[in-house]
Amino acid sequence: MMPKYVAAIDQGTTSTRFIIFDHGGNVVSVAQKEHQQIFPKPGWVEHDPLEIWGNTVEVMQKALEKLSDQLSVTSDIVAIGITNQRETTVVWDKNTGKPVYNAIVWQDTRTDVICAKLAKSGGQNRFRKKTGLPLATYFSGPKIKWILDHVQGAKEKAKQGDLLFGTIDSWLIWNLTGAHVTDVTNASRTMLMNLKSLDWDEEILKVMGIPRAMLPAIKSSSEIYGYVGAGFPRPIFESNIRGEKTSPLQRIPVAGDLGDQQAALFGQTCFKAGEAKNTYGTGCFMLMNTGEKPVQSKTGLLTTLGYKIGNRKAVYALEGSIAIAGALVQWLRDNLGLIQSSAEVETLAKSVEDNGGIYFVPAFSGLYAPYWKSDARGVIVGMTRYVNKGHIARAALEATAYQTREVLDAMEKDSGVKLTSLKVDGGMVFNELLMQFQSDILNVPVVRPKVAETTSLGAAYAAGLAVGFWKDFDELKNNWGKDKEWHPSMDSKGRKTLYSGWKKAITRAFDWVE
């Protein structure tokens, strides 16, 4: 009898999930757990890699327990894919398995001095032709350099070959299988990989002072990297769901690996050049498939790897990255106490008819695409006595839609492709107010798929293709279905007035840090 399921570990910025899918791409079991956000100084954001690993093991076990009646002793899960928060940097001792420092998160801005020094020779685009990326605090390379420069003994250990670097996918695969690998999508976010050779760039490594021996082997996004329980890994479970001595996941292949936004592109089945998706999570990320050749952006977008399936040619993408989207709603909840849960933001925003004349520019980690200003800071402009918390909530939601418009405008200029509709996914797509406003401000339909877990699904698809669970892209296309579609209802004058107000407001966020 054919095995039934493929699973995905979705390790995100705020939580870790383990999701099990059937052949139709439907979610049959899921477990999730949040991890601590660590803010040692202004602009610094860290995670505990050991906490993330522990949470990963926990959610795997919980999701399996929910399906215990349907899983055989040897397990009906044929493969596991991994998708992860990108750029977040872990350096660990390969002999002990312990990190030498907390994971430095993609949002962290402490490397601004490093980036500024590197930019003195060749400017912010010094490495862009090779990597597709500007010099920015966002990417992993400067974070590795910071750890080597600031953690006592790290530089010497790295030179001796005792330290390993990885983005979160590498950290988890190493703990699961003992293999030190990453895929092309995650490697393309380090600012250390050459887009054309798909290998680490010796010149950039030398400039950064990063030993090549620290770095994982770069693989495709869909192949068997190793098997659960083979190698260094810590025990997955003390006993499995039926009490046997070994985990039901032992010897299951880990066979898919995609950075979260590329996984969403793949899960949304954007397989043709010109197809695009937007993911609304902690940040907001729009990717457009540009085919088998990298397109260098002239408008501040990133040139990145879309995916590489087995021995097929790599597929590239243009990306517009927005640092703060859902994180702004969390900030309203956790820092200001305006809402008790993230879901309440829509109700609060609906309590007013419009934004009351205010704009909220959430440049908490600087501004990403298309500006790339690490010294920008968040502002609320247009405040009067009339404004209440409903207006603030509404302006917070609208900020995500405005930033998406800026990215789309840039993407259309770079690609020469006029978008006719936008596929959306992520936690915020269930916010009806935001989705309607997004359609209004873009003036295109916005489409939500039946399976909104497209990030996890993309990783599962990659793993399933590697082991033959799905035969080809056509099978994956057939799984995609529309859940809901929003159409523009705003007149052109209103759209133009609101957007011009945003363009004025965002300039107020520039150059706050001396």
Side-chain angles (χ1 to χ4, degrees), residues 238-260:
E238 290 181 5
S239 61
N240 75 356
I241 52 179
R242 297 181 185 276
E244 287 94 355
K245 291 181 181 179
T246 58
S247 161
L249 292 178
Q250 296 286 6
R251 296 176 299 281
I252 300 298
V254 178
D257 181 13
L258 289 150
D260 52 10

Side-chain angles (χ1 to χ4, degrees), residues 39-247:
F39 306 105
K41 295 181 181 181
W44 291 31
V45 190
E46 298 177 0
H47 294 155
D48 179 354
L50 295 176
E51 180 190 10
I52 286 175
W53 167 242
N55 288 358
T56 301
V57 172
E58 186 176 331
V59 296
M60 290 169 77
Q61 187 162 22
K62 285 182 177 178
L64 287 167
E65 286 171 352
K66 291 178 183 179
L67 269 186
S68 59
D69 294 337
Q70 299 171 53
L71 290 174
S72 70
V73 174
T74 56
S75 177
D76 282 333
I77 295 175
V78 291
I80 297 171
I82 291 178
T83 183
N84 56 288
Q85 52 167 318
R86 304 168 305 171
E87 300 95 15
T88 295
T89 297
V90 187
V91 174
W92 68 95
D93 188 311
K94 72 177 184 182
N95 302 305
T96 66
K98 292 183 178 179
V100 300
Y101 190 81
N102 276 337
I104 301 180
V105 178
W106 57 274
Q107 299 162 313
D108 190 288
T109 61
R110 77 185 68 184
T111 58
D112 54 354
V113 174
I114 291 173
C115 292
K117 285 182 179 177
L118 289 169
K120 283 184 178 179
S121 176
Q124 192 176 21
N125 291 324
R126 179 176 180 178
F127 304 132
R128 188 186 275 271
K129 191 171 182 181
K130 286 185 173 184
T131 67
L133 312 174
L135 275 166
T137 60
Y138 186 15
F139 307 110
S140 309
K143 300 181 197 297
I144 303 170
K145 179 172 173 54
W146 189 94
I147 290 173
L148 295 181
D149 289 347
H150 290 82
V151 175
Q152 188 174 1
K155 193 171 287 186
E156 291 71 25
K157 277 191 172 184
K159 288 177 181 176
Q160 293 164 9
D162 290 329
L163 296 188
L164 302 179
F165 152 76
T167 39
I168 295 292
D169 61 312
S170 297
W171 168 244
L172 294 181
I173 292 172
W174 188 79
N175 277 291
L176 286 165
T177 72
H180 186 217
V181 299
T182 190
D183 90 304
V184 292
T185 67
N186 281 293
S188 74
R189 314 299 295 196
T190 60
M191 206 158 57
L192 303 174
M193 189 193 82
N194 188 297
L195 282 176
K196 292 183 179 177
S197 69
L198 305 183
D199 196 7
W200 304 117
D201 189 274
E202 293 293 348
E203 180 193 357
I204 299 175
L205 292 181
K206 187 175 180 181
V207 171
M208 293 264 196
I210 297 171
R212 188 185 177 106
M214 290 183 70
L215 306 179
I218 301 174
K219 303 287 187 178
S220 78
S221 310
S222 177
E223 62 179 272
I224 295 174
Y225 312 114
Y227 295 82
V228 176
F232 179 87
R234 303 173 180 85
I236 304 302
F237 313 136
E238 290 181 5
S239 61
N240 75 356
I241 52 179
R242 297 181 185 276
E244 287 94 355
K245 291 181 181 179
T246 58
S247 161

Side-chain angles (χ1 to χ4, degrees), residues 426-487:
M428 295 180 82
V429 299
F430 296 100
N431 188 309
E432 303 269 335
L433 179 66
L434 172 59
M435 291 297 100
Q436 182 58 55
F437 188 76
Q438 184 68 91
S439 179
D440 286 338
I441 213 71
L442 294 182
N443 198 29
V444 297
V446 168
V447 185
R448 183 176 70 199
K450 285 182 179 178
V451 179
E453 303 293 353
T454 53
T455 301
S456 304
L457 185 58
Y461 279 163
L465 286 170
V467 298
F469 185 69
W470 287 289
K471 291 184 299 182
D472 51 34
F473 284 10
D474 287 340
E475 272 197 305
L476 307 185
K477 277 276 191 187
N478 290 336
N479 282 349
W480 193 92
K482 180 172 67 176
D483 176 45
K484 187 163 183 177
E485 187 168 346
W486 290 265
H487 292 269

